[in-house]
Amino acid sequence: MKILVASKIDPTALDHLRSRHDVVVAIGAERSELEERMADREALVFRSGVAIDEALLERAGNLRLIVRAGSGLDNLDVRSVEARGISIRRIPGPGARAVAELTFAHFLGLARQVLVADRLLREGHWAKNDLAGWNLGGKTLGIVGLGSIGSTVARLGAAWDMQVVGCVEHPSRDRSAAFEAAGIRLLDLDEVLSESDFVSIHVPLNADTRGMIGAKQLALMRPGSFLVNIARGGIVDEAALLAALRDGERPAAAALDVHVSEGEGRISPLAGLPNVILTPHIGATTVDAQREIGVEVVRIVDEAADLADGSATSAEAQTTAVGA
Ligand code: MLT
């Protein structure tokens, strides 16, 4: 199969693909190069950071399989892909644990001012008396979006002795009872924001969620609370967050793994603030998660190639039978 790998994937998976298929790797490629390289490809493997839109798909007349080596579909024009009869395969499972664990790295980083302490110490300041932090245990954890990642964050929060509350897009009495049984109190978004000490966002980016945490929502947060967005840039309004963090009360500090503008050379508008932790969309980037995702990528591509080989073989057999 002719494959374009447009994002970094597990090296062992890439070796496997190369051993059986015709693989072109174009990680971080300029748009024009990507368009050129898509021309004869039958399969595309990608992650976040690459926009797979109508214009690009138009250049890919042979494309029949798209493998999203992860979860989010916000950088893929799904309607165009479906209209072209191209099959989409996502691999959302393995990244959930990694994303949930980075959420806690950020909670702890914020609550204990880990990066501030590190910077001060490197500058020769022994700031022991200025760096009183907060425990996670006993605090309320608010989760916006209780899908697979949000639910994993909830489980980890319970293990840290946090009280867990959360909200979902389509609440119902049944769902509320099911969450209650899992130790999660289901509330609406405003209640989650106003009752939580630590708020974490885990919804996909779409027309409904873009800007869902703006000035009005931030003003509902508890004084001294912490906000983590590890879902997608654009869900939290960056200008509103900048203004709120300058105030430094609601929330007191925030950590963002995702940004409105991502990529080499881009600097977040929040980069000048001391009460922010910024990471470059590394939620699902653990060796463990990427290894598991890589195994799935290889399985999906091989299966598609086998199917194509099988139908080619049976078509050949039919032709021979007719001709014989
Ligand atoms: C995902 O949606 O799976 C994550 O954002 C990871 C990624 O694609 O880089």
Side-chain angles (χ1 to χ4, degrees):
M1 198 168 212
K2 293 184 170 157
I3 306 165
L4 179 69
V5 176
S7 307
K8 187 169 164 57
I9 61 167
D10 174 61
T12 309
L14 190 56
D15 287 346
H16 273 286
L17 292 179
R18 280 186 164 131
S19 70
R20 178 169 171 197
H21 305 279
D22 166 359
V23 178
V24 170
V25 177
I27 299 165
E30 291 294 330
R31 175 72 191 198
S32 53
E33 185 190 341
L34 208 56
E35 285 184 7
E36 200 179 300
R37 292 184 171 231
M38 284 287 275
D40 67 337
R41 298 292 99 183
E42 298 163 305
L44 168 69
V45 180
F46 75 106
R47 295 175 56 189
S48 57
V50 196
I52 312 299
D53 54 21
E54 172 76 28
L56 193 69
L57 293 167
E58 241 165 49
R59 307 291 296 259
N62 294 345
L63 197 64
R64 52 194 162 86
L65 172 66
I66 287 185
V67 185
R68 173 63 172 92
S71 175
L73 289 177
D74 49 289
N75 53 334
L76 176 68
D77 185 339
V78 175
R79 208 177 300 167
S80 262
V81 171
E82 285 173 353
R84 289 175 153 78
I86 299 167
S87 133
I88 306 174
R89 302 291 299 273
R90 283 169 72 223
I91 309 169
R97 177 78 194 196
V99 173
E101 290 190 7
L102 187 67
T103 303
F104 276 82
H106 280 328
F107 284 161
L108 290 164
L110 293 171
R112 304 303 299 268
Q113 301 189 68
V114 175
L115 299 191
V116 177
D118 174 87
R119 198 187 60 243
L120 290 173
L121 194 56
R122 285 166 199 259
E123 290 167 356
H125 301 301
W126 189 258
K128 184 175 170 72
N129 295 332
D130 303 322
L131 289 171
W134 296 96
N135 289 355
L136 266 56
K139 301 296 187 306
T140 300
L141 163 60
I143 303 173
V144 179
L146 284 162
S148 128
I149 297 172
S151 302
T152 307
V153 171
R155 276 204 313 280
L156 298 183
W160 280 83
D161 298 327
M162 303 179 87
Q163 275 99 50
V164 185
V165 300
C167 57
V168 293
E169 192 185 0
H170 301 294
S172 68
R173 203 169 288 182
D174 283 356
R175 292 189 83 189
S176 182
F179 284 124
E180 195 77 46
I184 304 165
R185 200 153 49 91
L186 202 59
L187 303 173
D188 66 29
L189 174 62
D190 288 1
E191 292 169 328
V192 168
L193 294 170
S194 60
E195 291 195 18
S196 303
D197 302 295
F198 292 82
V199 174
S200 190
I201 314 288
H202 299 288
V203 291
L205 178 65
N206 56 40
D208 294 332
T209 60
R210 192 178 291 278
M212 81 186 280
I213 308 293
K216 186 169 155 274
Q217 289 71 28
L218 294 169
L220 294 173
M221 292 183 73
R222 279 189 171 172
S225 56
F226 300 106
L227 174 69
V228 171
N229 181 14
I230 204 157
R232 280 297 181 268
I235 294 169
V236 177
D237 176 338
E238 283 184 352
L241 183 60
L242 179 68
L245 288 170
R246 277 198 179 124
D247 243 24
E249 203 176 77
R250 298 162 193 264
L256 306 175
D257 184 52
V258 289
H259 313 274
V260 170
S261 176
E262 297 190 352
E264 184 66 21
R266 319 272 170 93
I267 297 178
S268 165
L270 296 121
L273 297 177
N275 49 347
V276 174
I277 296 175
L278 303 170
T279 48
H281 201 145
I282 52 171
T285 306
T286 63
V287 172
D288 317 66
Q290 293 306 316
R291 202 178 275 154
E292 265 188 75
I293 289 172
V295 169
E296 272 301 286
V297 169
V298 170
R299 195 187 61 73
I300 290 167
V301 171
D302 280 353
E303 191 182 87
D306 288 344
L307 261 174
D309 287 351
S311 47
T313 314
S314 63
E316 270 165 34
Q318 271 181 17
T319 315
T320 316
V322 170

